[in-house]
Each structure stands twice: as structure tokens, then as C-alpha cells.
Amino acid sequence: MWRAIPGPIVLMLGTLLSAPAQPASAQPGTNSAQAQLTEYFKAEVAEIANRCLAEAKTRSDWEAKRPVYRQQLLEMLGLWPLPERTELHAVVTGRLEHDGVVIERVQFQALPRLYCTANLYLPTGLTQPAPAVLYLCGHWRQMTNGISLGNKTAYQHNGLLFARNGYVCLVLDSLQLGEILGVHTGTRDLGLWWWNSRGYTPAGAEAWCGIRALDYLCTRPEVDTNRLGVTGHSGGGAYSWTVTALDDRVKAAAPLAGMADLQSHVLDGVLDRHCDCNFFINVYRWDFPQLAALAAPRPVLIGATDNDPIFRLDSTIRIHDKVRRVYELYGAPDKLGLVIAPGQHTETPELHLAVLRWFNKHVKQDTAEPVLAAPKPLPREQLRVFDSLPEDAVNTNAVELFAPYRPAEPESADQLRAELRRKVFAGWPADEPSIRPKLAVRAERNGLRLSVFEFASQHHVELRLYLLERSGTKRPRAVVLEILSQADWTDWFGTVGAAFTNELAEELAGASNAEISPDGLARLKAQLAGTNAALAFFAPRGVGRTAWTTDEKALTRIRRRFMLLGQTLDGMRVWDIRCAIRATAQLHQGTPSAIVLRARGDMAVNALYAALFEPKVNRLELTDLPASHMNGPDYLNVLKVTDVRPTIAVISAGVDIKQPGSK
């Protein structure tokens, strides 16, 4: 049962007031480091959510910002500048009639050799151009005998239903699950973190395919190009939002179960269940209502079910309420609808009815009651477009079309810093680091003095700097600051812990596999002997005493949360290292005349970028340095700005760099 509520909101009766279940994977963990991480994520989400659409106080405010926001969205999707609208090379590979509906098997190229497969549903007996609907498919794999039929075959009911109601409907395969299989889960499942560095998201590829599908519909004489609608469920709902935001040819949209806000994704754990195709590269630090609002004031019906575990009802309502403010600026709150049906993550008959009514009103300009009886579905094999797949297809490696590897050659350190700050490290705090290290522990033993200093690099990011000197040292001439990875941390604790086990009891929890090595301590003493220098050691967030997890899947979930907040874990470690450099410079009343920064592996890349921003570093010793971000740490968009080798070339003009064992 369901009933209509007066006004723009339509509620389908169900368990509307029931509390949604908290997913088991929602929180990274429960120990103190993990608790701090959770608080960090809460604060970052709140900051972004509070800023979302806050500048749109008047209609003129919004209209001034809207073109800027659209360009930002294009950038974050990897679509700026827009790709060339190349020839579609559209081909109809087959045609059949089925119970009053003509179905065509269609393929076209969204970019050269990027093949899109679709089914076009046409009402029989058309005498004039008809309104058209682009239906975008979600994640529903359709395979037979190891051959992909395209997920369009699972959604044929929608094409048949729209055609039965007088619409031309193009049901478009997704890039991942079309007849030529692509990839949507690069960071979630495959460890392709360089997608972040290249600025690639399959959300951009899907958006472009959707835009080109509209181009194709506009070539068809059966279509009234002034009456176009877009809809889809789940992943298709997500693409519906993006295509509508980017293409004003869409006169009305009905995205179903395709969007959640940052609170739901990051704090409630919804992110963990979604493909990368749901997300832009969030360098401008958006919350998702900002994308949704780009549709205003065009008619948009937001569809949901009341017990959907991956696009939760509370999130859907928050998005609706925030976007509604923009529609109210236009005096058009009736152009934004909300329909809620009972059920879980499914496209229910109640949603079908609401969408048809919405499109009848706003696309067809017809208030006739929809026809809900669709013809019986066809065997899936009859809807397949290709008898054999084109040999030149690049669908599987679409990243090369949308985010090719073309790092720039920076002209100067100043230019590189500015570009990195704007396009790569925009998730850093707005102000430069202001660090006040506090002495927490001091002990002397066996001719060595250990001093432990504490500081916060950000809210809820409490870190320690460890200074090791010969007993009696007052003002070291230089400090060698070593940046520790998790493996380095374990080795370091095994060395220093031989002398200071009691003082480092808290650190022991982050180095449970450490083997105490008296010989290692002797080597450190020998390294300090006869010098007026000190050794400092620093583990950035997520390493050592602040380690959150050793489980790779759990760490993947954490890293994806950072990405959705417009950061990356290693990008924020660069910030932590910057803070540690400044803390080191303040020790002994700022008397060290030289700071040597030492690191290995991926952490050496983080140290390299920290040194670019911190002029107090005199020397870099970088061991086993990865040659590129393709196999090193990921920062958002960095490979659109630079790579490891060009960055070294810029820094080496003012800093001595040694690279033993570099890759």
C-alpha cells in the first residue's frame, strides 16, 4: 500500500521510522589510535558538510557559482577539458519486434575504440518525434557460457515499460558490465591506487558514455530532442545524477538509489560496499548534495526504498533537504520530488509508477495515468549487440583515454608548490603548520639520552618525535630526521627499545613483532660518537603507536575514506612530516643548523614532497625510492602535475639529495 502526500514529496508507506542497521564495517576499529581516526573522520565530514551549499544564500549567489561548480565537477571526474565529441560511428546490429515494441541492438563509440552497447526501445507506429528516456544500468552482471550479454539485458523491463508508455528508451550498458567488460573497482578490490594519482575515476567514464548516449538519441529521427529524461537505479542512479548535473539537455531526471552523503559513506561505512564509479576525485572537498544541486531548477525526482542498506534512507532525506534549499531559491520546490517505497535495494513497482508519473508530467507534458503492464521479457541472448567483440576495443583500459600518463615538467619550485597545493594537497589544513612540541619523556642510559616530544599535526592526530643524543649534548649542530614506515618502526623499536623499554612501553603495542637488538643500539652509539649531531625518528599517522590495523582490507577501507574527503593517507603523511620537520627545527631553541631528512621506500617519496615545502631541510637521503607514483604512494591528481623524478629535479637545485638503491 502507498499513498500520495500533498506537495512535492511522495512517500511510499513502509518502515519509514525504523532505525537503519549500522553496518559491521562502519568504524575502522576500537583501540585508541582507531578511536582518534574515527574522531578525525567525524570532524572532517562535519567541516565539509557544513560548508556544502552554504554560499548559496540567494539565487544570484547560486547562479554565479553554478558554472564554477560544474567545471570543478568536470575536473574531479577527469573530464576537463571536455574530451572531443568524436564521430559516434553508431551501428544498429539487429532489430526485432516484440508485443508492440521495436527493439534495436545498438553500438556506438563514446571515444575512438571505446564501445558502448545498448538496446533502443521504440513504440510501434510512431508518426512524430517522441519524448525519450536514457536508462542507465546498475551493477547486475549478465553472463552466459562465459560471455557477457551486458547488464542492459537485466533492465529490459524498463525499456519495454517506457516504450509501452510512448517513450523512446535507450538502455545503456555500463562500462564495467557491458558486452566488453571494464573495471570499476580499482581501489576497492584491485589495489590500483595510482588511479588516484592519475586523477581517474570510472564515474567520469560513465558520465561521458551517458552524455554520448544523449548525443546518439539526438541523432534519431524518432526522438524529440527537447524532451529528454534520464533515470537509473543504484549505479545507474549515480550516473543519472552526474549526467543530469553536466548536461542541460536533460529536461527531467529520476535517479533511484544512487547517492549517499559523506556522513553515510565515511561514518556509517556505506563507502565499503560501493565501486569507485560512485565517486569523483574529491579534490575540491564536496559533499554530494553539491553535485545533486547542479540539476536545479530542472525537475528531479529522488527515489529510494526505506530499508536500503547501501543507499540509506536517512542519507537520502538529508540530501533532499539540502538540495531543496536551492530549488526554493528559484521558487520551484515543486520541481524536486522525493519518493520512498517499501523494500531494500531494489527497483520496486511503486518506484516505476512514480517515475512514469514524473516523466509524464515533466517530459511528455501529459497527465495520463501510466501503463504498468510491460510485455514479457525476451530471452537475454536476443538482446546481445555483438556476435563477436571488436578487436580494437579499449574498454578494459579506459583509464588511458580519460587519464593518460602525462606528468608535466615543473618550471620552478614555486610553481610546483602552488600547483600541488591547489590540485593535489587541497585537503591539507588551510594554514601553514604551527607546531609546539612538548617534552613528554626524557631518560638517559648507557651514554645515550632519549627525549620524546609530542605534538598535534591536526585535530585528533597526536604524534611523537623521538630525539636520540649522546649524553651531555646541549646544542647539536645537525639533526638527522628519519621517517619511519611500519617495517622501519619495528626495527627502530627493536634497536632503541634495548635501552629504553620502560620509557617506550606505550610504543611497544605498535611494535609487537620487534626483536630487541643490542647490536643495533651499539651501531647508533657509534653513529653519534665523535659528532655534534642528533638522531630524530618520526612515524607519521597510521604507523607505530598510531597504527590502526595490519589487515589490508581494513586499511583499504581507511584509505578510501581519506580519498572521499579530498585527501589520501600518504598525502596527509606528507603534512605530518612537514610538521615533524618544523618540530625538529624548534628543538634546543632552534639551534640545529642543518636538518637531514632520511627515509626509504614509499615513505621516501613522502619525505621528498615534505622537503619541497619545508626550506629548513638541507639534505635528503632517500633509499629505495620508487621511480613514479604509478608504483609509489598515491596523492590525488599528482600525475597531472608532476612525478617523482621531475620533483627531484626541482628540489635538487637547492637541496643535496642522495638516492642509494633507488628503483
Side-chain angles (χ1 to χ4, degrees), residues 35-289:
Q36 282 195 30
L37 179 64
T38 298
E39 293 305 310
Y40 175 81
F41 285 148
K42 285 180 180 178
E44 292 290 297
V45 166
E47 177 187 339
I48 296 172
N50 291 338
R51 191 174 64 243
C52 178
L53 299 177
E55 295 176 316
K57 293 181 171 47
T58 66
R59 176 174 169 176
S60 60
D61 289 341
W62 172 250
E63 291 183 341
K65 285 290 185 182
R66 188 174 184 270
V68 177
Y69 292 153
R70 178 176 278 185
Q71 181 173 327
Q72 289 180 354
L73 178 59
L74 286 166
E75 287 182 44
M76 294 191 294
L77 291 169
L79 297 176
W80 186 261
L82 276 170
E84 181 183 356
R85 273 187 159 89
T86 52
E87 175 62 43
L88 289 169
H89 298 293
V91 178
V92 176
T93 66
R95 180 182 175 96
L96 54 93
E97 285 197 34
H98 176 62
D99 198 6
V101 178
V102 174
I103 307 169
E104 293 185 353
R105 299 186 287 269
V106 176
Q107 57 101 339
F108 61 87
Q109 296 178 43
L111 287 171
R113 299 183 295 147
L114 181 66
Y115 290 88
C116 296
T117 44
N119 293 142
L120 184 69
Y121 295 81
L122 300 150
T124 57
L126 282 179
T127 59
Q128 59 185 10
V133 171
L134 173 61
Y135 187 92
L136 298 167
C137 296
H139 297 89
W140 198 340
R141 186 180 296 271
Q142 298 293 297
M143 304 287 291
T144 182
N145 298 322
I147 295 173
S148 175
L149 305 175
N151 48 351
K152 64 185 175 303
T153 62
Y155 294 92
Q156 60 174 297
H157 174 84
N158 299 83
L160 293 167
L161 189 61
F162 278 114
R164 179 60 63 87
N165 280 274
Y167 295 88
V168 175
C169 181
L170 185 69
V171 181
L172 180 69
D173 275 333
S174 70
L175 181 65
Q176 182 193 24
L177 297 174
E179 295 185 24
I180 308 168
L181 296 174
V183 180
H184 269 186
T185 60
T187 67
R188 191 190 74 180
D189 299 334
L190 302 176
L192 302 181
W193 297 106
W194 54 266
W195 277 16
N196 287 338
S197 296
R198 295 263 286 262
Y200 175 72
T201 167
E206 295 291 359
W208 183 248
C209 291
I211 290 169
R212 298 313 313 272
L214 292 176
D215 290 346
Y216 174 72
L217 281 172
C218 289
T219 69
R220 297 291 304 227
E222 303 92 341
V223 170
D224 182 345
T225 59
N226 292 313
R227 293 190 291 170
L228 298 176
V230 173
T231 187
H233 180 261
S234 191
Y239 317 145
S240 299
W241 276 117
T242 309
V243 171
T244 302
L246 296 178
D247 199 320
D248 289 331
R249 291 176 297 181
V250 177
K251 302 305 178 186
L256 309 176
M259 182 179 285
D261 60 6
L262 286 178
Q263 178 177 328
S264 185
H265 278 306
V266 175
L267 303 182
D268 297 336
V270 168
L271 165 71
D272 302 332
R273 302 183 65 175
H274 285 303
C275 294
D276 298 1
C277 68
N278 277 263
F279 310 120
F280 38 73
I281 301 293
N282 197 12
V283 69
Y284 287 104
R285 308 251 289 166
W286 282 20
D287 202 350
F288 285 84

